[in-house]
Amino acid sequence: KARIRELEQMLGQKQFEIEFKDKMIDIAEEMYDIDIKKKLGSKPLPGSGSTGKPTDGK
């Protein structure tokens, strides 16, 4: 029972952290007028991945 109580407390703390971070993201999006949240399964933007080419222009 003590272990269950400990795990429930940890779960509550993690839930609080998630909600806090979500709220901070919402505030930042509003303050800076940008979309920070990414849709799950969205494709990366062109140029955001590695091409395997050297970056020195050669």
Side-chain angles (χ1 to χ4, degrees), residues 25-26 28-30 32-39 45:
I25 290 170
D26 291 342
E29 286 180 330
E30 188 175 313
Y32 298 107
D33 194 30
I34 57 174
D35 185 21
I36 297 171
K37 294 178 184 171
K38 304 292 181 193
K39 293 181 181 178
L45 295 174

Side-chain angles (χ1 to χ4, degrees), residues 7-39:
L7 293 172
E8 287 174 341
Q9 184 178 10
M10 289 171 56
L11 180 61
Q13 178 66 28
K14 291 298 179 187
Q15 185 61 37
F16 176 79
E17 290 176 16
I18 291 169
E19 291 173 8
F20 177 79
K21 290 176 183 178
D22 283 345
K23 185 63 178 174
M24 294 302 296
I25 290 170
D26 291 342
I27 291 169
E29 286 180 330
E30 188 175 313
M31 283 182 68
Y32 298 107
D33 194 30
I34 57 174
D35 185 21
I36 297 171
K37 294 178 184 171
K38 304 292 181 193
K39 293 181 181 178

